[in-house]
Amino acid sequence: MPKELQFQVSPEVAANEDLLKQAAAKQLHISFKDIQKVVVQKRSIDARQKAIKFNIKGQVYLQNETFVETEIKLPNYPNVSNKQEVIVVGAGPAGLFAALQLVELGLKPMVIERGKDVRGRRRDLKAINVDGIVNEDSNYCFGEGGAGTYSDGKLYTRSKKRGDVDRILQLLVAFGATSEILVEAHPHIGTNKLPQIIQDIRDKIIACGGQVLFEKRVTDFTIKNNEIQGVVLHDGTSIASNKVILATGHSARDIFELLHQKEIFIEAKPFALGVRAEHPQDLIDKIQYSCDFRGEFLPPAPYSIVKQVAGRGMYSFCMCPGGVIAPCATSPGEVVTNGWSPSKRDQATANSGIVVELKLEDFQPYKKFGALAGMEFQKAIEQKAWQLAGETQKVPAQRMIDFTQKKVSSSIPKTSYVPGTTSVELGEVFPDFLTQTMREGFTHFGKSMKGYFTNEAILHAPESRTSSPVRIPRDNQSLEHVQIKGLYPCGEGAGYAGGIISAAIDGEKCALKIAESLKL
C-alpha cells in the first residue's frame, strides 16, 4: 500500500519530481532510491511566512509496490435518439452538464441556446471590444459555454456540500482539461483552453442522439393547468416537452421579465455590486509573496480579501492574476465589466471585482418593479456608467486613492480593458451608500495588504453581474418550480449556483430529479 504523506516543500522542490522524491524520502526516513513515485493529490501555496512553501498531500509508492496510472474516462453514454425528450434552456455549465447527465440516465436532451456556438461567439466579442457593438444574443455572457467560457474558467468552489465536485472535475479532464485541475487548490482552465472542451462536450451530446440548437431564443413558455408543456422560440417555433430545465444564466433579463409578466412566481434576491480594480501583477506578487521578484517557480499571486464596512461585507470577487478586464454588456446602452485570465496567467496586470453586499431594502427606490427591483437597480447603474463614460463601451475609471478623496484623476494609464476608459468621479456612478462603503473599504484593504491602496490601481465601473438579482423558487425535494410542475429552475440564473462547478453540479441534480420523477 502506498504511504499517505502531507508535507511542505519549497517552490523549487514542488516543481521537480526528483527533488520531491528526495523530500518525501527525508520525511519517511528512507533512501531516495527506495521511492518509485510520489503522486501529488492536492497542492496549495502557503505564503504566510517569508519563506514561501507548497503544501503537498500525496501518496508515496516504494519500489516494490505496484503503481498504475489512473486513467480518467468518460461514462459509457448510451444512444438516446429515440428516448423521451427533455428541453434544456441554456448551454452554460448548468445546461451542458444537465444534458450530459440526462444522456447518462437514458433521456434525450434538447439544448436550446440563444447565442452562437463557442467559435462563432469570437466575432461578437471582437465587435464589442473593438467597435463597441453589443450583440444582445452573443457576447461574453450569452452563447455556448455561458459566461465562464470567455471570462476565465475558474473551477474553485466553496460549494462542497452541494454535490460531487471531483466528479465534475474528472469529467472536465476526460473532455480534455489538464489533470492539474484535480490537484490544485484553486483550479483554473483558462479562457484560451475552455472553448475546445465546451465544443467536445457538445459533440458528445450530439453523438449520443441529443440535440443542441444555436441562435434560438426562448420567448414564451407553454403552460396548461400549471404544468409546463413546452417552449416557444423567437421565430414562432413551438417545441413540446413536459420537462424543462431552465438554465439561462444570471444575465437573462428577458427570461426574468417573461416569468414576471406571466405571473410565474419569482423573487428579488440580494447580490453584490462594485468595481473591478486593476493593479500591476508584479505589485500584487510583492505584496503576497513579500519579495521583489517572484521567480519562475511561483505562479502569479492571487489575493482574497474580505472586510466588514458599515455593517456590509466588502470583498474581492473573481480575482484574475495575470489577467485582463473585459466588456460584458448584454444590451446597448450599458457598460459592464468582468475579468479573465489565460491558462498561463501571463498578462502584466491583475484584476479583481471589489464588491459590496446589497440588501433587499437597498432596492426600495425600485419597488414598483416588484421582484425585478434588484434587476432594475443593477440596470440603472450600468446605464449611468455608459452615459458618464461617453455612451460607448468605454468604462468610467478612477485611480484608487483619487476615488477615496473624491478627486477626478488627471490621467488614466492604458489598462487591459480594450475599449478604453474615461476619467470619471465614480461617486457619480453609484448610490451614495455604495460609494461611501467602497471609499472606506479601500482604506481598510490597504491596512491589511500593504501597498494595495495606491494610485497605481485603476478602478473600472461597474462590476455588477456577480450573481443573479432574481431567485426562481423551487421545491427543495423535487427541484421543480413551486408553482409550475415540470419546470426546473437551475444554476446561477435561478439563484442556485455561483460559478462553473456549482452550476454544473446543479445541472446534474436537476437531471437526476427528472429521471427520478419518471421512475427511470
Side-chain angles (χ1 to χ4, degrees), residues 224-481:
K224 185 177 181 181
N225 298 327
N226 280 345
E227 293 188 20
I228 196 81
Q229 304 292 305
V231 301
V232 180
L233 306 184
H234 71 286
D235 60 6
T237 304
S238 293
I239 303 175
S241 176
N242 62 0
K243 300 291 181 184
V244 175
I245 294 176
L246 187 62
T248 47
H250 60 41
S251 292
R253 289 171 172 166
D254 55 338
I255 292 294
F256 300 145
E257 290 165 347
L258 173 63
L259 294 169
H260 192 55
Q261 173 196 328
K262 294 180 77 71
E263 297 184 350
I264 296 172
F265 185 57
I266 58 175
E267 56 191 8
K269 181 180 79 62
F271 60 105
L273 189 146
V275 297
R276 190 150 281 267
E278 182 170 276
H279 290 77
Q281 180 62 55
D282 59 6
L283 174 60
I284 299 299
D285 291 340
K286 288 175 184 176
I287 295 169
Q288 295 297 85
Y289 293 147
S290 301
C291 62
D292 291 329
F293 176 65
R294 82 167 181 266
E296 62 178 304
F297 300 109
L298 283 171
Y303 66 84
S304 176
I305 190 164
V306 182
K307 294 291 179 185
Q308 282 293 315
V309 185
R312 295 177 187 269
M314 178 168 161
Y315 57 93
S316 55
F317 168 83
C318 183
M319 195 273 149
C320 301
V324 300
I325 300 176
C328 293
T330 52
S331 294
E334 66 188 26
V335 291
V336 180
T337 66
N338 199 351
W340 60 269
S341 303
S343 56
K344 292 183 180 179
R345 292 180 161 172
D346 55 359
Q347 302 300 298
T349 50
N351 70 78
S352 180
I354 304 297
V355 296
V356 176
E357 65 178 359
L358 300 174
K359 304 172 183 178
L360 290 177
E361 53 262 37
D362 298 326
F363 309 147
Q364 275 296 108
Y366 301 89
K367 65 181 179 180
K368 69 178 182 182
F369 295 101
L372 303 180
M375 187 185 86
E376 294 296 330
F377 174 96
Q378 181 189 59
K379 191 190 296 184
I381 289 173
E382 294 169 359
Q383 292 173 347
K384 185 71 175 292
W386 179 76
Q387 292 164 359
L388 289 170
E391 300 189 349
T392 67
Q393 280 302 302
K394 286 187 175 182
V395 293
Q398 193 170 11
R399 293 178 183 267
M400 186 182 285
I401 294 176
D402 289 348
F403 170 63
T404 64
Q405 296 177 350
K406 307 180 186 179
K407 290 168 50 179
V408 176
S409 300
S410 58
S411 65
I412 301 288
K414 182 177 173 57
T415 72
S416 67
Y417 184 82
V418 172
T421 60
T422 300
S423 183
V424 168
E425 206 294 278
L426 295 185
E428 295 183 50
V429 176
F430 302 103
D432 287 344
F433 77 90
L434 256 177
T435 302
Q436 290 307 118
T437 302
M438 286 191 287
R439 282 179 174 147
E440 185 179 343
F442 278 120
T443 62
H444 291 320
F445 279 25
K447 292 172 185 175
S448 294
M449 292 177 61
K450 302 297 183 186
Y452 182 89
F453 185 58
T454 172
N455 259 352
E456 281 190 81
I458 310 301
L459 308 182
H460 303 63
E463 167 71 66
S464 50
R465 306 285 179 94
T466 54
S467 67
S468 177
V470 169
R471 179 175 285 107
I472 308 174
R474 67 189 188 189
D475 181 83
N476 289 335
Q477 294 302 314
S478 70
L479 303 189
E480 290 175 294
H481 187 270

Side-chain angles (χ1 to χ4, degrees), residues 118-119 121-122 125 140 146-152 191 195 326 340:
V118 74
R119 304 294 175 188
R121 287 176 75 181
R122 289 178 173 171
L125 300 186
Y140 276 97
T149 302
Y150 288 107
S151 56
D152 209 44
T191 296
W340 60 269

Side-chain angles (χ1 to χ4, degrees), residues 103-122:
V103 171
E104 193 173 347
L105 294 165
L107 291 164
K108 179 181 177 179
M110 177 179 282
V111 182
I112 301 173
E113 170 55 50
R114 69 189 294 166
K116 297 178 183 177
D117 66 72
V118 74
R119 304 294 175 188
R121 287 176 75 181
R122 289 178 173 171

Side-chain angles (χ1 to χ4, degrees), residues 172-191:
L172 286 167
V173 170
F175 276 109
T178 170
S179 60
E180 288 295 298
I181 68 173
L182 303 173
V183 172
E184 298 296 343
H186 293 80
H188 167 258
I189 292 179
T191 296

